[in-house]
Amino acid sequence: MLHLWLIPAFPLAGFLANGLVGRRASKAAVNLIAIGSVVLSLLWVLKTLAALGPLEHTHIERYFTWFQSGDLRVGFDLAVDRLTAVMLLVVTSVGLLIHIYAIGYMSHEGGYYRFFAYFNLFMFFMLLLVMAANFLLMFVGWEGVGLCSYLLIGFYFLRHSATTAGNKAFIVNRIGDYGFTLAVFLIFLGFGSLDFETVFAAAAGRPVETSAGALTLIGLLLLAGAAGKSAQIPLYVWLPDAMEGPTPVSALIHAATMVTAGVYMIARCAPLYTRAPLALDVVALVGLATAVLAAIIGLAQTDIKKVFAYSTVSQLGYMFLGLGSGAYSAGIFHLVTHAFFKALLFLGAGSVIHALSGEQDLRRMGGLRKHTPVTFVTILCAAVAIAGVPPFSGFHSKDAILLAAHHHAPWMYWAGVATAGLTAFYVFRAVFLAFFGTYRGPHHPHESPAVMTLPLAALALLSLAGGYFNVPRWLEPMFPPAEGAHDALLVYISVAAAAAGISLAWLMYVARPGLADRLAGRLGWLYRLVYNKFFVDEIYDRALVRPCVEGSSAVLWRGVDAGLIDGAVNQVGMKARDAGSVLRLIQSGSIRSYAAWVLWGSVLALAALVLSRGAR
């Protein structure tokens, strides 16, 4: 036994230690506990993978029966296969770099111990999610990362915008989780088990559904859960608002934990989706639509973190496009490379914000490459990676997805190429606005300390070279091979789109800096539509949020709660009070009055007795 339970147990121990005694401990002690727990987890992952070797088969450790009811047994069972190995390495390594960075970024913030306790708890639940050997234990990790996102997005709880964003993330994810829950029920009804091994083996013996059936319904419900966690249409609206949390939180959510959960879950359920091609087509369509929409919105955002937030939504859409095209390995490959360059983009943005004393508006930046050279170089590494510039990491994973999409449906390839061009444009737009031209802000920029820049440097190396980790080759035994051959022309086209996006950004924001404003003025309402994110939040507010709030207020509160429940209780009290008002009249305190009441009572009792005997 390799004691897999220790991998998530170390961060859990860090959470308990800092949560219980961190208030009274020094920052150095808090750092030692928080960082040390993640280091131990990473080391145990490496030890485990070294012991397991090539992972030709899934390694499962069954610890105890969580509960049993009839034929249903749900155990606390953990498993490691090739997909789990990839996720464990990403979560622990990138998570560790973000933890180290947070030491510098959060050094002057209140609630320091609380922040790192939540950070460790986040790691615990994510590791539990990817190591679970059954759907129910996965769901525990699934809900746990949702809880931690709520706690960390709303970390600055004295700010109304932060608590509102935390609530929004929590509620929107509950909508998706409802679909996940229904899918788990249907899986048990259809297969009599919740263990991955049993369910997937049974699914392999079923025919491919040519029309909508039970597997298609399960796939769509799982997609609803994945759309919530991984911010896909229509449940993507929580992720941009999640920027209200501290920047290390944004990096952890966007790169190593929560938003990757949906992508991982669909890849894990590949045996179900391969027999439900209709559900798989919906996965691809949702992913492509999300990628395009978010990329368009990212073109006009002025908050540096919002730009990168919509970039995450768009890149997650790419991953869903890869999964939906049957290229599961390519989707996970992009998850890995995205973890590197997106963590770098957010931590780089945090370094810029730190340098400018909290400023996030790109319009108040400029010329920062002279003041923050390390931050500039590292963010540039992330920018060329996400833009798909060869030979850097994003180029390898993005083009693997686009080639699969071309075989699945050529029009999806062309939409993906257009999105690649938009991606290159909006990312380099942010780079040029922040680091080129003249400085436009009121603060005095300064470079971040080494505890922040060293993780940036490590992530920069991963962003540049991570494409050579050949994740698809490693995952080949787990997934059916993606159809379609390598086509050099298609690759050249996607690279040309990226080059065009970068060139256009250079023209509009460096060579002719006034061109962008003039173009925005000419576009008029169209620019405002994009700048205001197509008013999706406002539409949701009018169509869903307000009717729910007003309906709850008018019907559930005033009608049911105040009118029916409180009314019934109040009526009982009022009747008792009225009866008491009558009865208290006989409580005069006069002995003569009491004697008269006794006399009259006796007379009435005797009269009743006589009348009853006479009636007989």
Side-chain angles (χ1 to χ4, degrees), residues 27-39:
K27 286 186 177 180
V30 171
N31 295 340
L32 179 63
I33 293 170
I35 306 301
S37 66
V38 182
V39 169

Side-chain angles (χ1 to χ4, degrees), residues 5 50 63 190 528:
W5 64 273
Y63 298 106
R528 291 192 296 273

Side-chain angles (χ1 to χ4, degrees), residues 13 55 181 190 383:
L55 276 171
T181 306

Side-chain angles (χ1 to χ4, degrees), residues 39-50:
V39 169
L40 290 173
S41 185
L42 173 59
L43 291 176
W44 203 262
V45 167
L46 296 174
K47 175 183 178 298
T48 300
L49 297 183

Side-chain angles (χ1 to χ4, degrees), residues 525-579:
W525 66 269
L526 183 59
Y527 174 80
R528 291 192 296 273
L529 185 66
V530 175
Y531 178 78
N532 288 288
K533 300 160 284 190
F534 293 97
F535 298 99
V536 172
D537 284 287
E538 289 78 3
I539 293 171
Y540 281 9
D541 184 65
R542 291 287 182 89
L544 299 173
V545 178
R546 289 189 188 180
C548 287
V549 172
E550 292 171 0
S552 299
S553 176
V555 178
L556 297 179
W557 174 33
R558 293 189 176 88
V560 178
D561 192 0
L564 183 60
I565 299 174
D566 288 351
V569 173
N570 292 338
Q571 283 296 319
V572 171
M574 290 173 63
K575 295 301 181 184
R577 185 189 62 190
D578 293 343

